[in-house]
Amino acid sequence: MTPSKDQELALEQVIQFLVDPKKEEIAISGCAGVGKTVLTKFILEQARDMGLINLITSENNNREVFLTSTTNKAARVLWEATGEPAMTIHSLLHLR
């Protein structure tokens, strides 16, 4: 599967975010079925290929990467699609 033009643009923006230490967070949003999960999978693949995940989460860097969603169902779908742990934003912030 190849990313759409919009997904390519979003992918570029996320990669730029990942390499900019001044940026603190980024969110991918949209209605159901627009390709957020597929985009996240592309992002993780690209970041791994570029060695960004290890760079971002290394001991020398003060960043952590979390996959979150607003619902448990979406978190489960995200986890299944990417193979990476995902949780609700509420769980991450210990609000639930």
Side-chain angles (χ1 to χ4, degrees):
M1 182 178 277
T2 59
S4 70
K5 294 278 188 200
D6 288 339
Q7 288 173 326
E8 285 274 344
L9 178 62
L11 180 59
E12 289 175 25
Q13 292 172 343
V14 171
I15 297 301
Q16 288 174 0
F17 160 79
L18 290 173
V19 297
D20 186 346
K22 296 176 187 165
K23 306 248 180 181
E24 295 185 8
E25 74 277 331
I26 192 164
I28 299 169
S29 62
C31 297
V34 298
K36 297 178 298 291
T37 300
V38 172
L39 175 61
T40 302
K41 191 172 180 176
F42 287 139
I43 291 166
L44 290 172
E45 289 171 1
Q46 186 78 27
R48 277 191 199 101
D49 290 348
M50 295 174 70
L52 292 175
I53 295 295
N54 291 337
L55 174 68
I56 292 164
T57 59
S58 73
E59 290 180 17
N60 298 331
N61 198 328
N62 199 19
R63 283 185 143 176
E64 293 181 84
V65 176
F66 297 98
L67 298 181
T68 64
S69 66
T70 56
T71 67
N72 285 317
K73 181 179 179 183
R76 187 171 45 256
V77 169
L78 190 56
W79 193 329
E80 290 170 359
T82 64
E84 296 292 332
M87 66 187 85
T88 65
I89 188 71
H90 305 91
S91 294
L92 177 66
L93 299 174
H94 303 287
L95 297 174
R96 239 184 111 133

